[in-house]
Amino acid sequence: MSILIKGGTVVNAENTARADVYCEEGKIVQIGENLDVPSEAEIIDAGGQYVMPGGIDPHTHMQLPFMGTVASEDFYTGTAAGLAGGTTCIIDFVIPAPQQNLMDAFHQWSDWAEKAVSDYSFHVAVTWWDESVHKDMGTLVSDHGFNSFKHFMAYKNAIMATDETMVNSFSRALELGAIPTVHAENGELVFQLQRKMKEMGITGPEGHPMSRPPEVEGEAANRAIRIAQALDVPVYLVHVSTKEALETITRARSEGQRVFGEVLAGHLLIDDSVYLDPDWDRAAAHVMSPPFRPKEHQEALWRGLQSGNLQTTATDHCCFCADQKAAGRDDFSIIPNGTAGVENRMEVLWHTGVSTGRLTMNEFVKVTSTNAAQIFNIHPRKGSVSVGADADLVVWDPQGTKTISAKTHHQNIDFNIFEGMEVKGIPSHTLSNGKLVYKSGELMVERGAGNYVKRPPFASYYDAVNKRREQKKPTAVKR
Ligand code: URP
Ligand code: ZN
Ligand code: ZN
């Protein structure tokens, strides 16, 4: 199959240029004007539109077994919804239960993901520690294309990683050329504050943000960053939602530490007033961790994105419908944590970022795809419109409009946190591996067409760190 995208303006992270894009066999093979292409090539008219790398959402949880239930969105429906919103690659999470073998969990998630319609990759969570975890981390990097490991500092008595586990895992990641990532919330504080709220008679969703105040995130972010600093390993913080966490990232980066931060579209746009909604179901639908924050944090997060101290945007797409959220009707602490967004991330960010002048189009490309591709080592195969790259592309109509609604979205969830938002700037066409999979509201996806994307380790950077450490080896004082 070959496709010529004609008449558009190509927008990459580095530049913007008028050019046609010709794709064949899943790859971009020519970019320029007056291209010489076979007469049978399908033509997409991109006149007046932008041709950009398809979005990469580096943080999703399709069909995650979590908090006594399973996320309602699976790899088929979730990746299809992503394509409808211009996102052509997700990085999901393999999350072994405590004591579960990492390889077993990896095979389990791989089976689930076979039905994906777009490309996907995985981070693996390290939720516990022993020699088998040490060994399996090595096998995952050397044989299965992993270069990132996740650590949940929250969810005590479930998947929370202790400091001991984190130190062991971060050290192992350094040996392997992989990057540790963290969900930064102090799980012990959350646990105790939840108990305290309930003792005070607070059982509704408003108890959720009260038991996870910003300091809970600030403390954990700082601890993770300092642990990484002590071990000389880079670190990536997922879903940064507070000024406190951003400050610690900014400080570390200004001191030369390799620290990366991700922000969710939801945390940029939605504030904590949602938890005061008198309608329990609506309030519970917003229960996710970290919670939505008071407005001043949103402004700080935008500045973090604009200044480059936060590099990526994600959704933490983790869907639970009203009947699932209802499990916590009498106790907010057991409402399954998660909200959706994989379909809406690009359009809400364009509308509130590019249309407002907060971000240039090139910065939009950076924070929706290129930076994630670079941090997780799949650039320029992904996150770039360049010859040889995967033909994962979005044709973006800056004049197109839509009103976001759960009634019309493709996500398998009965609620949309952006409900009613009118956005200007939407995808008109999405290509996945050179195939047209979405056109003006219509999905044309094939179950199982998505590929698992292997991500190589960061050999050169880590070699340099290891060499530096070797040279600076501490020596005992001779007495
Ligand atoms: O509330 C959330 N974020 N649910 C998914 C698991 C996680 O913490 O990322
Ligand atoms: Zn998380
Ligand atoms: Zn998550």
Side-chain angles (χ1 to χ4, degrees), residues 11 58 104-105 118 159 217 233 263 308 347 396 400 467 474:
V11 184
D104 289 350
S118 78
I159 53 177
E217 182 177 331
V233 65
V263 61
E347 57 207 18
W396 196 264
K467 206 173 283 164

Side-chain angles (χ1 to χ4, degrees), residues 59 61 64 66-67 93 95 150 152 154-155 159 183 185 208 212 238-239 264 287-290 315-318 320 325 336-339:
H59 188 159
H61 301 282
L64 174 69
F66 192 50
M67 296 186 74
F93 291 81
I95 306 183
K150 171 79 176 282
F152 289 92
Y155 307 123
I159 53 177
H183 167 137
E185 283 187 302
H208 181 65
R212 308 178 101 99
V238 306
H239 51 42
L264 306 184
V287 167
M288 58 104 42
S289 296
T315 58
D316 200 359
H317 186 83
C318 188
F320 298 108
K325 293 273 182 183
N337 285 202
T339 55

Side-chain angles (χ1 to χ4, degrees), residues 256-277:
Q257 202 182 332
R258 279 186 89 74
V259 177
F260 303 104
E262 164 195 286
V263 61
L264 306 184
H267 282 137
L268 285 166
L269 300 188
I270 295 165
D271 68 68
D272 60 346
S273 60
V274 291
Y275 299 113
L276 304 178
D277 196 313

Side-chain angles (χ1 to χ4, degrees), residues 242-298:
T242 58
K243 285 190 297 189
E244 287 77 356
L246 176 59
E247 274 162 16
T248 185
I249 292 171
T250 305
R251 176 201 48 75
R253 287 177 63 84
S254 74
E255 290 170 2
Q257 202 182 332
R258 279 186 89 74
V259 177
F260 303 104
E262 164 195 286
V263 61
L264 306 184
H267 282 137
L268 285 166
L269 300 188
I270 295 165
D271 68 68
D272 60 346
S273 60
V274 291
Y275 299 113
L276 304 178
D277 196 313
D279 180 329
W280 189 94
D281 292 291
R282 290 183 54 80
H286 290 92
V287 167
M288 58 104 42
S289 296
F292 297 111
R293 301 294 189 183
K295 273 200 187 321
E296 73 260 22
H297 294 272
Q298 284 163 36

